[in-house]
Amino acid sequence: MKINQFGVIKRTFEQKINELALIGFYDEKIQAAISKGSVPLLQALLEQAAQSTAVTTKFDDYMVNEQQDLAAFFATDKQVTNQEFDAIALQLLNFEESVDYNLADSVQAVNRIGLPLFSKDGDWSTHDVLNAWYDLLTTHTKGGLQFIDELVSHQYLKPTNQTVFFNGKALATFDTNQLIKEVVYVETDLDTDKDGVKDFVRVDIIRPTTAQKVPTLFTASPYYQGTNDVVSDKKLHDVNQPLQRKIPNNLTYEDVAYEPSAPEELTAHEQTGETTEATETFYPKSHVDLNNYFLSRGFAVAYSSGVGTRYSDGMQDTGSPEQVVSMQAVVEWLAGNRQAFVDRQSGVTIKAHWSNGKVAMTGKSYLGTLATAVATTGVAGLETVISEAAISDYYQYYRDNGLVIAPGSFPGEDMDVLAELVYSRMQDAGDWHRTKEQWEQFQKQTVRDMDRTTGNYNTYWDARNYLKNVPNMKTDIVMVHGLNDWNVKPRQVFRLYQKLQELDIVKKLYLHQGQHIYINNNRSLDFSDQMNLWLSHKLYGIENDAVAQLPDLTWQSNQTPETWETRQSWGTTTPTKISLANVQTPVSYTDRQTKVAYESYSKDYDHWRSLMIDRDNHELDHSRVIFSQPKQKQDLLIDGEVSLQLRIKSSTNVGLVSAMLVDYGDASRLTKKPVPQGSQIDRGVNWQPTPLVEFEQAKSTPNKMITIGHINMQNRENAWRVNDLRPDEYVDLTLTLQPTLYQLTAGHQLGIVIYGTDFEMTVRGNQNITYTIDTKHSQLLVPVVTSK
């Protein structure tokens, strides 16, 4: 087991004493024990910690070494040493002897596990014991919490409903049994339902009962008010369609660029009075775990589904500027810059009187997407966003290089399907029947605008490309993304990360080896602690060196379990050219499958993909070309975007190229999803526990797909320009694969698999197309570094 903690800040001895005094570990009893020596001091500290049910004063239950328990040790006149303190610390942190460590090598075990404990040779003074105790409180337990959090969650500190900060992070001192749940309706400057009146959006708020002003974590989630899964699934598009020839054009970007319309003159809602108390409440729903963690630490939480959702006005339009503006309006109200009402009818307004005016946005996927999008508006009051697995350009989500592309595991999904899923107004029969006809017409227009026929980039997609608006950003940002996320693919965060380098704002990036997941409950990384440090600074103004303390880029190793490394950048490496001329030229493959195989692969695209990258299975040899490099003599790191430069021709007037970069070599690789570790993390005091998880090593496999890419041969210049494609005529194109940060192990081979139809992501026309590659004029460009 290994634990990586980046959220622990260094303190001077004086600062440590002040903080220990604040939480009761430097009171009169402790000070009296100091005069008696290091052992009485340690005993007094343990007795104080026993106010928590996580610690016992049955000192004979703890062992100092293999021969002596703690009670016996306290009865001697010995001094505390590093070996003895670490042995006790490991037990307090719930590590298991003979499983995680041995008493004889406690110091070595602490170093091996990565615990940031105090270390010093020889006998310890009381000064050393106090230093060590402070460091122990900031150290993670086996169960995923800092030791101080473990104590507090077991009632060491009674809830005061006032903020207490330790090591720069907020403690769980707010009583979650007293949380206030209230509803407001924020008035936007939108009229997406075209009734001439400003649209309302509902906001659900959960906040601590306290006299102090608190900041807010706002999650913009179109899923929050419910989803229409059955209806949405019926809208899925048929992907068993042939690839269509497109009429060539000479479009430039200026021809498709989105320009916002002039603001409309709209009727505001009548105001009849003002109150400080909301009149509506709500039942708890499934909430974001990171938000739950902060509710017990003095932060309010707000959720809104935005326009076109249940209890709000308007039409649902995936990723649109209007959807973004509706979420921006919520931030403005929380910051004190917009009007909200207690209900939809009375005209009584309400301010966020409990708010300190500072807001952070949180969430994964669609939620993180809207956090990113709102940040690009430059809205006042938004201090930071924590966007996880977020989309920065919707074209790159449902399209790619002139092709209709499905997110991983969702063939047939598109913008209209996602809108149907979250148009939760249909869950109330009255509201649904009032809006049904308008909604159906709205959806028909969406289908026309999103254009599944050509797959080209157009004005509709340009309006949903948030990268264009990045220069407007004023807020610092934390980004989290999985390098094996084939739903929201890594290019989404890579391109955002690149654009952000042009801005003088703080940007932090976490790259993990998972798929489409949260990492806040990962055992080997203190992500929640780090976000506590970050938000305590950004929203409460605590001077805790968070900007300098948190690494600019944290990367989870794909080779070694429980290993997180820090890096300075991503994607700045100059590519190495690798020729493809080491095989016969030309080389051909065909896209046609037998009827039986076609139906089988369409139903089980995971099996199809495993066959496609398997060099030893020849079932798909006719449909692919594999170029393999010699075995690596040393480890190498692929850092950024791999590009495939091809001279290629199609036997007909249409064509698509797909490619997968593959690691060939037997290895026990990390699981695709983190595995529950059999324990729960408490998010406060008996509050919203969540499973502790970790990526584990799975059984050995002979290969692994590193990254992937697709392109329509008619869009070889860009996504809006369509070129002609003539049968059996070579064209030159560059296919840039999804970015990666991947360590290739010595003895393994790097391979590139080139093919046509991707049964998971592209249309599946099963057309009789033969592709031919001129290998002498084709090459692979791989950004490779040999050291960090």
Side-chain angles (χ1 to χ4, degrees), residues 219 327 341 356 393 408 429 476 515 592 686 712 748 767 769:
T219 297
M327 300 304 191
F341 294 76
N356 72 356
D393 175 2
D476 297 338
Q515 297 174 321
R592 187 65 177 250
N686 298 318
N712 190 318
H748 286 208
Q767 292 153 284
I769 305 174

Side-chain angles (χ1 to χ4, degrees), residues 147-307:
F147 185 44
I148 182 60
D149 285 330
E150 179 88 358
L151 296 180
V152 173
S153 71
H154 286 77
Q155 302 178 343
Y156 170 73
L157 296 178
K158 303 305 179 186
T160 61
N161 291 334
Q162 293 291 315
T163 48
V164 176
F165 296 91
F166 188 81
N167 195 242
K169 297 177 281 292
L171 294 180
T173 53
F174 288 77
D175 190 347
T176 51
N177 292 315
Q178 298 179 10
L179 293 173
I180 298 168
K181 300 180 180 68
E182 58 191 7
V183 176
V184 302
Y185 296 84
V186 171
E187 183 182 63
T188 71
D189 294 328
L190 300 167
D191 180 23
T192 60
D193 52 15
K194 303 303 179 185
D195 63 359
V197 180
K198 293 183 176 183
D199 290 343
F200 272 143
V201 291
R202 170 171 161 145
V203 184
D204 287 6
I205 301 153
I206 314 171
R207 58 184 178 89
T209 297
T210 179
Q212 72 177 70
K213 301 281 189 179
V214 298
T216 308
L217 305 188
F218 168 42
T219 297
S221 172
Y223 305 123
Y224 176 74
Q225 292 295 353
T227 55
N228 310 309
D229 299 75
V230 174
V231 177
S232 177
D233 285 348
K234 291 178 180 178
K235 292 277 187 179
L236 289 170
H237 297 272
D238 182 9
V239 297
N240 295 332
Q241 302 286 335
L243 182 67
Q244 300 286 345
R245 179 181 181 274
K246 296 188 275 192
I247 299 173
N249 66 44
N250 291 305
L251 291 177
T252 65
Y253 171 70
E254 287 69 25
D255 295 322
V256 300
Y258 167 77
E259 293 294 336
S261 302
E264 299 178 74
E265 290 291 334
L266 301 174
T267 301
H269 293 268
E270 181 184 3
Q271 300 179 29
T272 61
E274 185 176 349
T275 184
T276 58
E277 293 186 8
T279 57
E280 293 184 19
T281 187
F282 61 95
Y283 290 103
K285 300 177 185 289
S286 177
H287 293 139
V288 174
D289 176 63
L290 190 66
N291 293 351
N292 288 334
Y293 169 86
F294 280 101
L295 268 171
S296 62
R297 289 165 168 79
F299 296 74
V301 172
Y303 294 92
S304 179
S305 290
V307 288

Side-chain angles (χ1 to χ4, degrees), residues 220 319-321 323-325 327-328 331 361 365-379 382 385 387 390-394 463-467 469-470 472-473 475 477 496:
S320 68
Q323 186 182 49
V324 176
V325 167
M327 300 304 191
Q328 176 187 341
V331 174
M361 291 187 71
S365 195
Y366 207 160
L367 291 58
T369 299
L370 287 167
T372 300
V374 172
T376 65
T377 68
V379 59
L382 184 61
V385 300
S387 64
I391 296 168
S392 58
D393 175 2
Y394 263 102
R464 292 155 178 80
N465 182 356
Y466 309 129
L467 296 173
N469 303 322
V470 165
N472 299 327
M473 283 184 63
T475 183
I477 183 171
L496 176 61

